[in-house]
């Protein structure tokens, strides 16, 4: 077993000069419909927080602190024996890290004290919504291409490695300080990534069980096929990466002090909980005979995914039942039906 030679993997496509005034229209017309990852070089180099980070780690910390709300935030501390890999322990006996609340000032002091220490454990303040921890900072992050209703989140840590996972949202990840490497896999590589459980995960979504630093091809032979479709994106301060919905990605911070600000959004009307639906589907269909599963696959394609056009389009809207309601009415009605169904067991 040896580390994956990321230098040999294809590079993610790049766009340059993306700070031009007309880029918002180009992003919506070209990047989003293509549904492929794209590096947007220099997209946020004009942010004051990025410019502070270019001065020094200390300078960007001093820039951030006046924005702090004083709220305690989650601090992740890794097991020193895990090599800053945020993952499962051997035998899946727990996780290689623990979380505890801390003040932003204390978390930054801890990071600065160990930024040059290659033997320090993982130190990570992850996925903090700016309104909760740095409420005024969002106003200092001009980014016309993002809907202002999409709230940014901030990630601050040392050189940690986050296991290959996906997000049920589109993602614009903007590097403020340090360097980052994303190893990317398209959604259809799911069967070749050897996914862990969906009900016991390091941070929400399920993760690949394959360690990119030491892939075990005897145990995970189909991972070679996943690698054949992989690509790598390396970002410097001021760069951003657009990740389409559900693209798998391992994220590796490459510097002793790193800050990333990202935006997650989805076009699905809230609230949606697809993993709840997936668990319900597992309960309902997993043990059906194959010929019955095929019937339900067709029903899902027709009613849920509308592969053949709008469901029940041959009926007048008032005759379509749930399928004729507005999204909000439909969601309320279905939740009521499901609530009663689960009460009955």
């Amino acid at each position: 077993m040896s580390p994956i030679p990321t230098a040999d993997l294809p590079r993610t496509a790049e766009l340059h000069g993306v700070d031009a005034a007309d880029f918002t229209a180009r992003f919506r017309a070209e990047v989003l419909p293509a549904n492929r990852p794209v590096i947007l070089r220099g997209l946020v180099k004009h942010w004051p927080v990025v410019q502070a980070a270019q001065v020094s780690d200390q300078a960007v910390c001093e820039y951030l602190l006046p924005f702090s709300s004083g709220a305690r935030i989650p601090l992740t501390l890794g097991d020193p024996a895990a090599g800053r890999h945020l993952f499962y322990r051997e035998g899946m006996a727990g996780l290689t890290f623990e979380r505890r609340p801390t003040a932003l000032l204390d978390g930054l002091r801890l990071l600065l004290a160990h930024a040059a220490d290659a033997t320090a454990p993982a130190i990570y303040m992850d996925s903090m919504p700016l309104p909760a921890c740095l409420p005024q900072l969002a106003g200092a992050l001009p980014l016309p291409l993002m809907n202002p209703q999409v709230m940014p989140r901030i990630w601050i840590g040392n050189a940690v490695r986050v296991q290959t996972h996906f997000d049920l949202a589109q993602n614009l990840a903007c590097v403020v300080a340090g360097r980052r490497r994303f190893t990317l896999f398209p959604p259809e590589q799911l069967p070749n990534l050897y996914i862990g459980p969906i009900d016991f995960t390091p941070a929400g979504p399920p993760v690949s069980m394959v360690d990119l630093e030491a892939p075990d091809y005897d145990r995970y032979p189909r991972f070679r096929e996943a690698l054949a479709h992989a690509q790598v994106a390396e970002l410097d301060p001021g760069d951003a990466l657009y990740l389409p919905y559900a693209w798998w990605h391992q994220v590796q911070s490459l510097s002793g002090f790193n800050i990333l600000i990202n935006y997650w959004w989805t076009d699905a009307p809230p609230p949606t909980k697809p993993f709840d639906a997936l668990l319900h589907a597992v309960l309902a269909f997993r043990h059906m005979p194959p010929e019955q599963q095929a019937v339900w696959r067709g029903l899902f394609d027709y009613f849920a995914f509308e592969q053949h056009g709008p469901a029940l389009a041959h009926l007048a809207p008032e005759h379509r039942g749930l399928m004729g309601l507005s999204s909000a009415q439909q969601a309320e009605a279905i939740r009521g039906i499901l609530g009663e169904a689960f009460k009955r067991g």
Side-chain angles (χ1 to χ4, degrees):
M1 295 185 291
S2 60
I4 290 173
T6 53
D8 296 337
L9 295 178
R11 304 287 103 174
T12 297
E14 299 185 12
L15 288 176
H16 295 260
V18 295
D19 55 347
D22 64 348
F23 183 69
T24 295
R26 186 181 176 193
F27 180 77
R28 293 171 181 165
E30 298 178 19
V31 176
L32 294 180
N35 201 42
R36 301 284 297 179
V38 178
I39 297 172
L40 310 176
R41 291 289 182 200
L43 178 70
V44 297
K45 64 184 180 182
H46 61 289
W47 283 356
V49 66
V50 174
Q51 295 172 0
Q54 295 292 81
V55 175
S56 67
D57 298 340
Q58 179 74 33
V60 73
C61 291
E62 292 174 354
Y63 177 85
L64 288 176
L65 283 173
F67 292 99
S68 176
S69 67
R72 294 177 71 76
I73 57 178
L75 173 67
T76 295
L77 294 174
D79 181 343
R84 298 185 183 176
H85 187 194
L86 306 181
F87 193 47
Y88 297 105
R89 294 186 182 276
E90 186 69 28
M92 298 184 70
L95 302 171
T96 60
F97 57 91
E98 60 181 21
R99 286 189 174 92
R100 70 185 191 200
T102 190
L104 177 64
L105 175 60
D106 292 337
L108 292 176
R109 281 175 172 167
L110 184 63
L111 276 169
L112 289 176
H114 295 281
D117 182 1
T119 65
I123 304 169
Y124 200 36
M125 295 175 281
D126 65 318
S127 192
M128 298 175 290
L130 289 190
C133 60
L134 298 160
Q136 303 304 315
L137 180 60
L141 306 175
L143 193 57
L145 63 85
M146 286 305 308
N147 185 327
Q149 295 182 337
V150 178
M151 285 296 103
R153 309 175 80 91
I154 191 166
W155 314 65
I156 310 174
N158 58 2
V160 303
R161 182 158 51 103
V162 177
Q163 187 66 9
T164 309
H165 65 286
F166 69 91
D167 302 308
L168 292 177
Q170 299 181 84
N171 187 4
L172 188 70
C174 307
V175 175
V176 170
R179 296 179 60 249
R180 299 235 173 184
R181 176 186 297 131
F182 291 75
T183 306
L184 311 174
F185 303 87
E188 58 268 24
Q189 290 307 308
L190 167 67
N192 301 322
L193 290 172
Y194 296 92
I195 307 309
I198 61 177
D199 57 332
F200 170 43
T201 71
V207 302
S208 170
M209 298 302 295
V210 183
D211 183 353
L212 267 65
E213 295 295 307
D216 186 341
Y217 295 116
D218 292 332
R219 187 175 182 182
Y220 306 118
R222 294 194 310 274
F223 184 65
R224 294 184 187 275
E225 178 64 18
L227 277 181
H229 299 272
Q231 57 182 273
V232 171
E234 293 196 356
L235 279 71
D236 294 317
D239 294 338
L241 173 67
Y242 168 67
L243 269 179
Y245 186 96
W247 268 70
W248 294 86
H249 50 289
Q250 178 187 269
V251 188
Q252 189 164 2
S253 310
L254 302 177
S255 309
F257 184 89
N258 300 270
I259 300 176
L260 180 137
I261 290 174
N262 87 302
Y263 300 78
W264 278 322
W265 76 98
T266 178
D267 298 327
T272 57
K273 296 183 178 179
F275 274 115
D276 291 353
L278 178 61
L279 289 172
H280 193 188
V282 168
L283 183 66
F285 306 120
R286 186 179 184 188
H287 300 293
M288 273 187 179
E291 63 275 12
Q292 294 179 20
Q293 289 180 339
V295 170
W296 282 100
R297 189 175 295 114
L299 287 168
F300 269 71
D301 281 346
Y302 183 80
F303 282 101
F305 303 122
E306 297 190 311
Q307 292 293 296
H308 308 284
L312 304 184
H314 55 284
L315 298 176
E318 64 270 21
H319 296 153
R320 296 177 194 170
L322 289 172
M323 303 305 294
L325 299 177
S326 70
S327 295
Q329 293 172 322
Q330 187 184 74
E332 183 178 359
I334 291 175
R335 280 196 296 268
I337 293 170
L338 291 177
E340 290 300 318
F342 279 112
K343 286 180 184 177
R344 296 193 300 269

